[in-house]
Amino acid sequence: MSLKLPMYMDHAATTPCDPRVVEAMLPYFTETFGNPGSRNHSFGWESEEAVDKARRQVADLIGADRKEIVFTSGSTESNNIAIKGAANMYQKAPAGSGECRGHIITANIEHKAVLDPCKRLQKEGFEVTYLEPGPDGVFTKEMVENAMRDDTILVTLLWANNEIGTVNEIPEIGKLCHDKGVIFHTDATQWVGKMPTDVNEANVDLLSLSGHKMYGPKGVGALYVRRRRPRVRLVPITEGGGQERGYRSGTLNVTGIVGLGAAAEIAKNEMAADADRLLKFRNKMETEITKQLDTVQINGHADRRLPHMTNISFGFVEGESLMMACKDIAMSSGSACTSASLEPSYVLKGLGIGDDLAHSSLRLSFGRWTTEEEVDYAIKTIVEAVNKLRVLSPLYDMHKEGIDISKIEWAAH
Ligand SMILES: Cc1ncc(COP(=O)(O)O)c(C=O)c1O
């Protein structure tokens, strides 16, 4: 079978919608289009029934009760509702009192959808500790325990990191938080739908998930809000019609929610097989690339990583040239575009990786329809591109001659 180019290897950015999901959604655009909030006619009841079914499907995926699911527009909104809502509910001192309103623990390599709400809360009188990872990128219970204070009210940490796929010690950190009476939120956007999740076993109080990372539609997600032991309450960040227990006012995105529910059910049934298959691809890619090229580095913990993605740094190549040379493969680089320049990824920098190596890093993430043939093509393309670029690199020549590049004193003119 011939390969279809360009090929998609960026499933951590977003996934295609599963055709079964699209099929489930279609009737809700034109036939069953009622507002689930319309309580006095059958159009509304039918939509409400569809939303209820989806709520059960999402709850089943994460071991929750369906009453604990709040539908949102995605993980960014879920994170904002959870973090700002919990901080304001469990504050130790009121706004404007001049006292610390409460202490929050997060990490400096979280997604911006966690970091920015935390920064906002800092401006509003909360104190935030940003944990720094070791070179393996994993956050442990011990790290969180060491940062706990008497006035800690909230811990928010990724379940799995979106750039390097590292998996934090979520059940252990959750247990610690429960023992200390601290609310625990996890942004599980990259984890849920890929790996088995049980909010009770993991001692999670608040969990964010997103449809478009698990073969569902974009613009829909959910927040899990624990109702028992402890019963978590949040101050809403938006006000209006009071939908979703008042936590997320606004007419429900019924088609999106139906799609999220269908995606959740498919994921529950198929994630184990997907993960097994994709882990083999990832291992093949990492083995082949490290065998065929020197001076490459796999980023993040060797084992505590999501099975379907890898993040690799290539020494002695320029990141943008590498991406250009691999145009047929849709993947992410270790550079983030800001308005004026290319910034090295703050996640990779957070692991202690230098700017050059961060720039020349690639994140490849496989998905439900990735084939071995595609993986083989990607390996070949990347290896050839790196070899070609290194032929042009005097620094690589010097490195091959045994010169330690970091010790060179460059003449300034
Ligand atoms: C870890 C993580 N959190 C949050 C988000 C944002 O999710 P959404 O696009 O659903 O708002 C993403 C998506 O890139 C993510 O990877």
Side-chain angles (χ1 to χ4, degrees), residues 12-14 72-79 110-114 158-163 187-191 208-213 217-222 363:
T14 195
T72 66
S73 65
S75 282
T76 302
E77 189 182 19
S78 298
N79 287 348
E110 289 284 306
H111 194 276
K112 292 279 184 199
V114 168
L158 282 165
W159 200 315
N161 186 281
N162 45 296
E163 286 195 34
D187 176 348
T189 310
Q190 299 286 346
W191 175 269
S208 305
L209 62 91
S210 181
H212 75 102
K213 307 283 184 181
K218 295 173 181 52
V220 65
R363 179 190 71 180

Short mmCIF file of all heavy atoms in Angstrom, two decimals, residues 12-14 72-79 110-114 158-163 187-191 208-213 217-222 363, ligand 1:
data_model
loop_
_atom_site.label_atom_id
_atom_site.label_comp_id
_atom_site.label_asym_id
_atom_site.label_seq_id
_atom_site.Cartn_x
_atom_site.Cartn_y
_atom_site.Cartn_z
N ALA A 12 -0.66 14.21 20.00
CA ALA A 12 -0.72 14.90 21.30
C ALA A 12 -1.26 16.32 21.11
O ALA A 12 -1.73 16.94 22.07
CB ALA A 12 0.65 14.92 21.95
N ALA A 13 -1.17 16.84 19.90
CA ALA A 13 -1.74 18.17 19.62
C ALA A 13 -3.25 18.06 19.43
O ALA A 13 -4.03 18.80 20.03
CB ALA A 13 -1.10 18.78 18.38
N THR A 14 -3.66 17.13 18.60
CA THR A 14 -5.08 16.81 18.46
C THR A 14 -5.20 15.51 17.69
O THR A 14 -4.28 15.12 16.96
CB THR A 14 -5.86 17.95 17.74
OG1 THR A 14 -7.26 17.74 17.94
CG2 THR A 14 -5.58 18.00 16.25
N THR A 72 -17.78 21.00 29.60
CA THR A 72 -17.14 22.29 29.35
C THR A 72 -16.76 22.37 27.86
O THR A 72 -17.09 21.47 27.10
CB THR A 72 -15.84 22.42 30.18
OG1 THR A 72 -14.90 21.45 29.69
CG2 THR A 72 -16.09 22.20 31.66
N SER A 73 -16.02 23.41 27.52
CA SER A 73 -15.58 23.54 26.12
C SER A 73 -14.22 22.88 25.89
O SER A 73 -13.68 22.97 24.79
CB SER A 73 -15.49 25.02 25.74
OG SER A 73 -14.49 25.64 26.51
N GLY A 74 -13.65 22.26 26.91
CA GLY A 74 -12.35 21.61 26.73
C GLY A 74 -11.52 21.77 27.99
O GLY A 74 -11.98 22.32 29.00
N SER A 75 -10.29 21.32 27.91
CA SER A 75 -9.47 21.30 29.12
C SER A 75 -9.06 22.68 29.61
O SER A 75 -8.88 22.89 30.80
CB SER A 75 -8.22 20.45 28.89
OG SER A 75 -8.57 19.09 28.98
N THR A 76 -8.90 23.63 28.69
CA THR A 76 -8.53 24.97 29.15
C THR A 76 -9.62 25.50 30.08
O THR A 76 -9.32 26.01 31.17
CB THR A 76 -8.37 25.92 27.94
OG1 THR A 76 -7.37 25.36 27.07
CG2 THR A 76 -7.96 27.31 28.37
N GLU A 77 -10.86 25.35 29.67
CA GLU A 77 -11.95 25.84 30.51
C GLU A 77 -12.07 25.00 31.79
O GLU A 77 -12.26 25.55 32.88
CB GLU A 77 -13.28 25.83 29.74
CG GLU A 77 -14.37 26.54 30.51
CD GLU A 77 -15.72 26.53 29.81
OE1 GLU A 77 -15.95 25.70 28.92
OE2 GLU A 77 -16.54 27.37 30.18
N SER A 78 -11.93 23.68 31.66
CA SER A 78 -12.01 22.82 32.85
C SER A 78 -10.95 23.24 33.88
O SER A 78 -11.23 23.34 35.08
CB SER A 78 -11.80 21.36 32.48
OG SER A 78 -12.81 20.92 31.60
N ASN A 79 -9.72 23.48 33.41
CA ASN A 79 -8.65 23.88 34.32
C ASN A 79 -8.98 25.20 35.01
O ASN A 79 -8.77 25.36 36.21
CB ASN A 79 -7.33 24.04 33.57
CG ASN A 79 -6.72 22.71 33.15
OD1 ASN A 79 -7.16 21.66 33.59
ND2 ASN A 79 -5.72 22.76 32.28
N GLU A 110 4.06 22.68 33.69
CA GLU A 110 2.65 22.42 33.40
C GLU A 110 2.26 23.08 32.07
O GLU A 110 2.96 23.97 31.57
CB GLU A 110 1.78 23.02 34.51
CG GLU A 110 1.87 22.30 35.82
CD GLU A 110 1.10 20.98 35.85
OE1 GLU A 110 -0.09 20.99 35.55
OE2 GLU A 110 1.70 19.96 36.21
N HIS A 111 1.11 22.70 31.55
CA HIS A 111 0.55 23.37 30.37
C HIS A 111 0.15 24.80 30.75
O HIS A 111 -0.18 25.08 31.90
CB HIS A 111 -0.69 22.59 29.92
CG HIS A 111 -1.18 22.95 28.56
ND1 HIS A 111 -2.01 24.03 28.35
CD2 HIS A 111 -0.96 22.39 27.35
CE1 HIS A 111 -2.29 24.11 27.05
NE2 HIS A 111 -1.66 23.12 26.42
N LYS A 112 0.19 25.69 29.76
CA LYS A 112 -0.19 27.10 30.02
C LYS A 112 -1.60 27.22 30.59
O LYS A 112 -1.91 28.18 31.28
CB LYS A 112 -0.12 27.91 28.72
CG LYS A 112 1.29 28.10 28.20
CD LYS A 112 2.01 29.22 28.92
CE LYS A 112 3.38 29.44 28.30
NZ LYS A 112 4.30 30.15 29.16
N ALA A 113 -2.46 26.24 30.26
CA ALA A 113 -3.84 26.30 30.75
C ALA A 113 -3.92 26.03 32.26
O ALA A 113 -4.98 26.17 32.86
CB ALA A 113 -4.72 25.31 30.00
N VAL A 114 -2.80 25.64 32.86
CA VAL A 114 -2.70 25.56 34.33
C VAL A 114 -1.87 26.74 34.83
O VAL A 114 -2.23 27.41 35.81
CB VAL A 114 -2.04 24.22 34.76
CG1 VAL A 114 -1.67 24.26 36.23
CG2 VAL A 114 -2.99 23.06 34.49
N LEU A 158 -0.23 17.97 36.29
CA LEU A 158 -0.58 17.14 35.14
C LEU A 158 -0.56 15.66 35.51
O LEU A 158 0.31 15.25 36.28
CB LEU A 158 0.47 17.33 34.03
CG LEU A 158 0.42 18.59 33.19
CD1 LEU A 158 1.74 18.75 32.44
CD2 LEU A 158 -0.73 18.52 32.20
N TRP A 159 -1.46 14.88 34.89
CA TRP A 159 -1.31 13.42 35.04
C TRP A 159 -0.14 12.99 34.15
O TRP A 159 0.77 12.30 34.60
CB TRP A 159 -2.59 12.70 34.65
CG TRP A 159 -2.66 11.31 35.22
CD1 TRP A 159 -1.66 10.38 35.23
CD2 TRP A 159 -3.76 10.71 35.91
NE1 TRP A 159 -2.08 9.24 35.86
CE2 TRP A 159 -3.36 9.40 36.29
CE3 TRP A 159 -5.05 11.13 36.23
CZ2 TRP A 159 -4.20 8.52 36.98
CZ3 TRP A 159 -5.88 10.24 36.91
CH2 TRP A 159 -5.46 8.96 37.28
N ALA A 160 -0.17 13.44 32.89
CA ALA A 160 0.95 13.14 31.98
C ALA A 160 1.30 14.41 31.21
O ALA A 160 0.40 15.15 30.78
CB ALA A 160 0.56 12.03 31.02
N ASN A 161 2.57 14.65 31.07
CA ASN A 161 3.02 15.88 30.42
C ASN A 161 2.78 15.85 28.91
O ASN A 161 3.03 14.83 28.26
CB ASN A 161 4.51 16.11 30.72
CG ASN A 161 4.99 17.44 30.20
OD1 ASN A 161 5.27 17.58 29.01
ND2 ASN A 161 5.07 18.42 31.06
N ASN A 162 2.34 16.98 28.37
CA ASN A 162 1.96 17.03 26.96
C ASN A 162 3.15 17.08 26.01
O ASN A 162 3.01 16.78 24.83
CB ASN A 162 1.03 18.23 26.71
CG ASN A 162 1.53 19.48 27.36
OD1 ASN A 162 1.61 19.57 28.58
ND2 ASN A 162 1.92 20.46 26.55
N GLU A 163 4.33 17.46 26.47
CA GLU A 163 5.48 17.50 25.55
C GLU A 163 6.35 16.26 25.63
O GLU A 163 6.88 15.81 24.62
CB GLU A 163 6.33 18.74 25.83
CG GLU A 163 5.67 20.01 25.35
CD GLU A 163 6.62 21.19 25.29
OE1 GLU A 163 7.82 21.01 25.00
OE2 GLU A 163 6.13 22.30 25.54
N ASP A 187 -4.73 17.89 35.57
CA ASP A 187 -5.01 18.08 34.15
C ASP A 187 -4.63 16.76 33.47
O ASP A 187 -3.46 16.47 33.28
CB ASP A 187 -4.18 19.26 33.63
CG ASP A 187 -4.35 19.47 32.13
OD1 ASP A 187 -4.91 18.58 31.46
OD2 ASP A 187 -3.89 20.51 31.63
N ALA A 188 -5.66 15.98 33.15
CA ALA A 188 -5.42 14.63 32.62
C ALA A 188 -5.68 14.57 31.11
O ALA A 188 -5.97 13.50 30.56
CB ALA A 188 -6.29 13.63 33.36
N THR A 189 -5.55 15.72 30.46
CA THR A 189 -5.88 15.83 29.02
C THR A 189 -5.16 14.78 28.18
O THR A 189 -5.75 14.22 27.25
CB THR A 189 -5.47 17.23 28.52
OG1 THR A 189 -6.01 18.20 29.41
CG2 THR A 189 -5.96 17.49 27.12
N GLN A 190 -3.89 14.53 28.47
CA GLN A 190 -3.12 13.60 27.63
C GLN A 190 -3.26 12.15 28.10
O GLN A 190 -2.84 11.24 27.40
CB GLN A 190 -1.63 14.00 27.63
CG GLN A 190 -1.36 15.39 27.06
CD GLN A 190 -1.48 15.45 25.53
OE1 GLN A 190 -1.52 14.41 24.85
NE2 GLN A 190 -1.54 16.65 24.99
N TRP A 191 -3.82 11.98 29.28
CA TRP A 191 -3.86 10.66 29.89
C TRP A 191 -5.19 9.93 29.65
O TRP A 191 -5.23 8.78 29.21
CB TRP A 191 -3.60 10.81 31.40
CG TRP A 191 -3.74 9.56 32.20
CD1 TRP A 191 -4.88 9.10 32.82
CD2 TRP A 191 -2.72 8.60 32.48
NE1 TRP A 191 -4.63 7.92 33.47
CE2 TRP A 191 -3.31 7.59 33.28
CE3 TRP A 191 -1.37 8.48 32.15
CZ2 TRP A 191 -2.60 6.49 33.74
CZ3 TRP A 191 -0.66 7.38 32.61
CH2 TRP A 191 -1.27 6.40 33.38
N SER A 208 -9.46 17.31 34.66
CA SER A 208 -9.82 17.93 33.38
C SER A 208 -9.55 16.96 32.24
O SER A 208 -8.50 16.30 32.22
CB SER A 208 -8.97 19.18 33.13
OG SER A 208 -9.10 20.08 34.20
N LEU A 209 -10.48 16.89 31.30
CA LEU A 209 -10.27 16.07 30.10
C LEU A 209 -10.87 16.78 28.89
O LEU A 209 -11.71 17.67 29.02
CB LEU A 209 -10.87 14.67 30.28
CG LEU A 209 -12.38 14.55 30.49
CD1 LEU A 209 -13.10 14.38 29.16
CD2 LEU A 209 -12.69 13.34 31.38
N SER A 210 -10.40 16.36 27.71
CA SER A 210 -10.76 17.09 26.49
C SER A 210 -11.11 16.11 25.37
O SER A 210 -10.40 15.12 25.16
CB SER A 210 -9.57 17.96 26.08
OG SER A 210 -9.89 18.70 24.92
N GLY A 211 -12.17 16.42 24.61
CA GLY A 211 -12.62 15.53 23.55
C GLY A 211 -11.61 15.34 22.42
O GLY A 211 -11.40 14.23 21.95
N HIS A 212 -10.97 16.43 22.02
CA HIS A 212 -10.18 16.34 20.79
C HIS A 212 -8.82 15.66 20.97
O HIS A 212 -8.07 15.50 20.02
CB HIS A 212 -10.01 17.72 20.14
CG HIS A 212 -9.04 18.64 20.82
ND1 HIS A 212 -7.77 18.85 20.34
CD2 HIS A 212 -9.16 19.41 21.91
CE1 HIS A 212 -7.16 19.74 21.11
NE2 HIS A 212 -7.98 20.09 22.08
N LYS A 213 -8.52 15.23 22.20
CA LYS A 213 -7.29 14.44 22.40
C LYS A 213 -7.61 12.95 22.42
O LYS A 213 -6.72 12.13 22.56
CB LYS A 213 -6.63 14.82 23.73
CG LYS A 213 -6.37 16.29 23.93
CD LYS A 213 -5.19 16.79 23.15
CE LYS A 213 -4.96 18.25 23.51
NZ LYS A 213 -3.86 18.85 22.81
N PRO A 217 -14.70 15.27 19.21
CA PRO A 217 -14.66 16.58 18.55
C PRO A 217 -13.90 17.64 19.36
O PRO A 217 -13.67 17.47 20.56
CB PRO A 217 -16.13 16.97 18.44
CG PRO A 217 -16.82 16.17 19.51
CD PRO A 217 -16.01 14.94 19.76
N LYS A 218 -13.51 18.70 18.68
CA LYS A 218 -12.87 19.84 19.35
C LYS A 218 -13.93 20.71 20.01
O LYS A 218 -15.10 20.68 19.61
CB LYS A 218 -12.07 20.66 18.34
CG LYS A 218 -10.91 19.87 17.76
CD LYS A 218 -10.23 20.62 16.64
CE LYS A 218 -9.08 19.84 16.03
NZ LYS A 218 -9.41 18.44 15.61
N GLY A 219 -13.51 21.48 21.01
CA GLY A 219 -14.43 22.43 21.64
C GLY A 219 -15.38 21.80 22.63
O GLY A 219 -16.42 22.38 22.96
N VAL A 220 -15.05 20.60 23.11
CA VAL A 220 -15.86 19.99 24.17
C VAL A 220 -14.94 19.21 25.10
O VAL A 220 -13.95 18.63 24.67
CB VAL A 220 -16.99 19.10 23.58
CG1 VAL A 220 -16.44 17.90 22.84
CG2 VAL A 220 -17.98 18.67 24.67
N GLY A 221 -15.26 19.24 26.36
CA GLY A 221 -14.46 18.52 27.35
C GLY A 221 -15.29 18.37 28.61
O GLY A 221 -16.51 18.59 28.60
N ALA A 222 -14.63 17.99 29.68
CA ALA A 222 -15.36 17.82 30.94
C ALA A 222 -14.45 18.09 32.12
O ALA A 222 -13.21 18.02 32.01
CB ALA A 222 -15.93 16.40 31.03
N ARG A 363 8.81 16.12 18.84
CA ARG A 363 7.83 15.30 19.55
C ARG A 363 7.00 14.58 18.49
O ARG A 363 6.36 15.22 17.65
CB ARG A 363 6.91 16.16 20.41
CG ARG A 363 5.85 15.31 21.13
CD ARG A 363 4.79 16.16 21.81
NE ARG A 363 3.91 16.78 20.85
CZ ARG A 363 2.88 17.59 21.17
NH1 ARG A 363 2.64 17.86 22.43
NH2 ARG A 363 2.13 18.13 20.24
C1 LIG B 1 -2.06 18.98 29.03
C2 LIG B 1 -3.01 19.86 28.32
N1 LIG B 1 -3.82 20.67 29.00
C3 LIG B 1 -4.71 21.47 28.40
C4 LIG B 1 -4.81 21.52 27.03
C5 LIG B 1 -5.83 22.41 26.39
O1 LIG B 1 -6.94 21.64 26.03
P1 LIG B 1 -8.14 22.22 25.15
O2 LIG B 1 -7.60 22.37 23.77
O3 LIG B 1 -9.20 21.17 25.25
O4 LIG B 1 -8.58 23.51 25.76
C6 LIG B 1 -3.97 20.71 26.26
C7 LIG B 1 -4.02 20.78 24.79
O5 LIG B 1 -3.05 21.07 24.14
C8 LIG B 1 -3.05 19.86 26.92
O6 LIG B 1 -2.23 19.06 26.23
#
